């Protein structure tokens, strides 16, 4: 099939992508309907609202349209559960939605991915990190524009080595993705000569970590690895702060803190180290413009969840626009061969082998912020290049 190259004009997202020759245009709908399935309640309920803000800004900045038609979201709460996610997405697809956006939890995302494959509908993932979401030769209509858990675990171990930590006690959310993440961390620790002196599994939505924290306090660990995020990570760090666990043990996790989580956690978050999906302090023209517009719109700095949702949807809609087609297959092939030169995080390249964006990784520490920054903010201490985080296709 013949291909042609596109390059966006200056002032618009510069995007180098190879697209298929024009296909037969599908019937033109009245609007571009997005089935947005996120968590607005449950263990990850804190995340969904910020993702919505970022996604809506990406659409607003393009005048609310793509391919000359208005973009329409249908927002649904999956309650951080796969079954409601699939039920609600199925209903919206039956009403003519052209794509799925979401979810937050990897379990829900994997369920939506199966639905996407079955219905041959594009599926955009901007936060779920389970490595199974983007496996080689996997779901043909699903794409992830954000971090994998594997790259975040790699960053965590790099941090352990750089801080000279020798003994780690871990707490892991009892959930497929985080269990896999701990297993990977354990393997890397063994190779690095780092001892895992303990690990306890806690259910999603756990409200009492006192027994686990007591064991950590009495252990000889110098590092505490927290394989949990959202409300679970916040609860753990708060309760750890009540007994001063972080005074003589370094608390860290692959995606444990960002500015939103730190605000919800309070002073106990100070000194906690974490991988960060996105951060407003990244200095490039695209991100600076996004942060200014977001602050004007919402009166606050964008969280990592808002930033990733904005970035991924902006990239996707730019590609759809460039195809000048309502043919789903044209969109999918174009995105699988796209490079996003002006991501808010820097250059991203979609890997055709697994539909995962190759990108840099951010690592930071919670510190005290000064106006106009939040009272607690992430200081980015390390930016890892993509070739240190991803295996070659």
């Amino acid at each position: 099939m013949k291909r042609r190259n596109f390059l966006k004009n200056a002032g618009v997202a510069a995007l180098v992508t190879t697209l298929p020759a024009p296909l037969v245009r599908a019937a033109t709908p009245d609007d571009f309907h997005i089935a947005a399935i996120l968590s607005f309640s449950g263990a990850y309920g804190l995340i969904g609202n910020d993702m919505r803000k970022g996604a809506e800004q990406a659409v607003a900045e393009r005048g609310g349209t793509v391919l000359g038609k208005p973009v329409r979201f249908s927002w649904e709460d999956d309650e951080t559960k796969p079954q409601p996610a699939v039920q609600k997405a199925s209903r919206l697809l039956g009403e003519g939605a052209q794509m799925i956006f979401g979810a937050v939890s990897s379990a829900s995302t994997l369920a939506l991915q199966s639905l996407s494959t079955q219905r041959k509908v594009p599926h955009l993932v901007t936060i779920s990190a389970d490595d199974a979401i983007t496996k080689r030769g996997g779901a043909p209509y699903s794409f992830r524009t954000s971090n994998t858990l594997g790259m975040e675990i790699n960053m965590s171990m790099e941090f352990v080595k750089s801080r000279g930590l020798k003994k780690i006690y871990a707490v892991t959310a009892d959930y497929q993705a985080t269990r896999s993440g701990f297993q990977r961390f354990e393997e890397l620790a063994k190779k690095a000569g780092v001892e895992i002196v303990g690990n306890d599994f806690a259910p999603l939505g756990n409200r009492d970590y006192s027994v686990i924290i007591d064991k950590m306090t009495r252990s000889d660990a110098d590092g505490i690895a927290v394989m949990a995020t959202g409300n679970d990570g916040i609860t753990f760090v708060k309760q750890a702060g009540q007994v001063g666990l972080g005074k003589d043990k370094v608390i860290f996790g692959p995606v444990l803190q960002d500015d939103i989580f730190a605000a919800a956690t309070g002073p106990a978050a100070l000194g906690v180290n974490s991988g960060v999906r996105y951060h407003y302090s990244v200095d490039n023209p695209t991100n600076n413009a996004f942060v200014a517009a977001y602050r004007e719109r919402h009166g606050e700095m964008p969280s990592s969840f808002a930033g990733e949702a904005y970035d991924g949807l902006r990239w996707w809609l730019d590609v759809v626009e460039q195809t000048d087609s309502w043919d789903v297959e044209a969109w999918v092939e174009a995105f699988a061969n796209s490079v996003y030169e002006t991501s808010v995080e820097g250059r991203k390249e979609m890997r055709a082998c697994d539909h995962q964006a190759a990108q840099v990784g951010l690592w930071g520490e919670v510190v005290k912020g000064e106006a106009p920054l939040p009272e607690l903010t992430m200081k980015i201490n390390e930016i890892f290049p993509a070739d240190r985080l991803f295996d070659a296709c």
Side-chain angles (χ1 to χ4, degrees):
M1 182 180 290
K2 293 183 179 179
R3 299 176 183 270
R4 50 199 175 98
N5 292 327
F6 290 78
L7 182 63
K8 298 280 282 190
N9 294 328
V12 183
L15 146 60
V16 181
T17 184
T18 305
L19 302 178
L23 302 176
V24 176
R25 182 183 290 272
T28 303
D30 293 332
D31 55 24
F32 188 88
H33 186 188
I34 300 174
I37 314 296
L38 303 178
S39 295
F40 297 110
S41 62
Y44 296 159
L46 187 67
I47 297 172
N49 283 318
D50 276 21
M51 291 180 67
R52 178 172 180 169
K53 290 176 184 177
E56 288 180 335
Q57 182 158 325
V59 171
E61 286 186 3
R62 61 187 309 110
T65 67
V66 67
L67 296 173
K69 296 294 181 180
V71 176
R72 174 166 62 96
F73 289 102
S74 288
W75 300 101
E76 294 286 352
D77 179 13
D78 72 350
E79 307 162 38
T80 318
K81 299 174 184 176
Q83 187 173 359
V86 171
Q87 289 174 339
K88 292 175 180 182
S90 297
R91 175 176 55 79
L92 293 173
L93 294 180
E95 295 172 2
Q98 288 103 344
M99 69 173 289
I100 301 171
F101 172 62
V104 176
S105 88
S106 290
S108 291
T109 296
L110 287 164
L112 291 175
Q113 189 174 69
S114 296
L115 179 65
S116 162
T117 301
Q118 177 188 2
R119 299 287 188 91
K120 298 184 177 181
V121 173
H123 174 210
L124 181 66
V125 182
T126 68
I127 208 66
S128 302
D130 193 327
D131 292 335
I133 293 167
T134 48
K135 57 187 179 183
R136 287 174 177 79
Y141 293 88
S142 188
F143 298 87
R144 177 164 50 197
T145 57
S146 57
N147 291 9
T148 70
L149 184 58
M151 68 181 280
E152 292 172 338
I153 295 298
N154 290 344
M155 289 193 290
S156 296
M157 184 49 62
E158 289 297 319
F159 170 75
V160 167
K161 292 188 291 186
S162 69
R163 287 291 292 264
L165 303 179
K166 298 299 182 183
K167 296 185 177 183
I168 305 296
Y169 201 122
V171 57
T172 303
D174 195 2
Y175 174 65
Q176 179 184 344
T178 41
R179 276 183 170 271
S180 297
F182 174 73
Q183 183 178 5
R184 170 65 175 163
F185 182 81
E186 196 172 29
E187 292 168 356
L188 292 175
K190 185 176 182 179
K191 290 179 181 178
V194 175
E195 183 182 356
I196 304 296
V197 300
N199 175 57
D200 289 295
F201 292 100
L204 278 179
N206 189 41
R207 296 181 180 275
D208 185 1
Y209 289 92
S210 59
V211 173
I212 295 173
I213 290 171
D214 182 61
K215 288 194 287 184
M216 290 173 166
T217 301
R218 291 186 287 105
S219 77
D220 61 351
D222 52 6
I224 302 297
V226 185
M227 303 293 169
T229 190
N231 294 334
D232 290 349
I234 291 168
T235 301
F236 175 85
V237 176
K238 276 185 175 181
Q239 294 178 8
Q242 291 170 1
V243 299
L245 183 65
K247 289 181 179 179
D248 58 356
K249 302 179 191 298
V250 179
I251 301 175
F252 67 95
V255 58
L256 179 57
Q257 286 287 315
D258 71 351
D259 292 66
I260 296 298
F261 290 163
T265 303
L270 283 170
V272 173
N273 288 263
S274 178
V276 183
R277 303 280 170 87
Y278 155 86
H279 200 258
Y280 54 75
S281 66
V282 174
D283 187 14
N284 65 54
T286 306
N287 192 45
N288 293 340
F290 165 60
V291 171
Y294 191 94
R295 288 185 66 196
E296 182 176 357
R297 187 181 179 97
H298 297 291
E300 61 187 11
M301 296 291 189
S303 70
S304 58
F305 311 111
E308 288 286 16
Y310 169 84
D311 204 44
L313 194 58
R314 179 173 171 262
W315 184 3
W316 170 260
L317 292 174
D318 276 352
V319 171
V320 168
E321 191 78 65
Q322 298 252 6
T323 66
D324 191 31
S325 171
W326 284 95
D327 190 293
V328 167
E329 301 299 331
W331 301 345
V332 168
E333 185 173 356
F335 204 59
N337 293 280
S338 64
V339 176
Y340 195 28
E341 296 289 357
T342 57
S343 160
V344 293
E345 296 168 69
R347 186 179 188 273
K348 291 185 178 182
E349 180 175 355
M350 185 55 62
R351 292 156 45 113
C353 68
D354 57 6
H355 290 186
Q356 168 64 45
Q359 58 194 298
V360 300
L362 307 178
W363 185 269
E365 178 183 353
V366 180
V367 299
K368 291 183 177 180
E370 297 181 2
L373 301 181
E375 185 176 348
L376 298 173
T377 186
M378 295 298 295
K379 179 183 178 182
I380 302 302
N381 295 323
E382 186 93 39
I383 299 179
F384 295 93
D387 60 6
R388 286 180 62 185
L389 303 176
F390 295 92
D391 295 332
C393 273

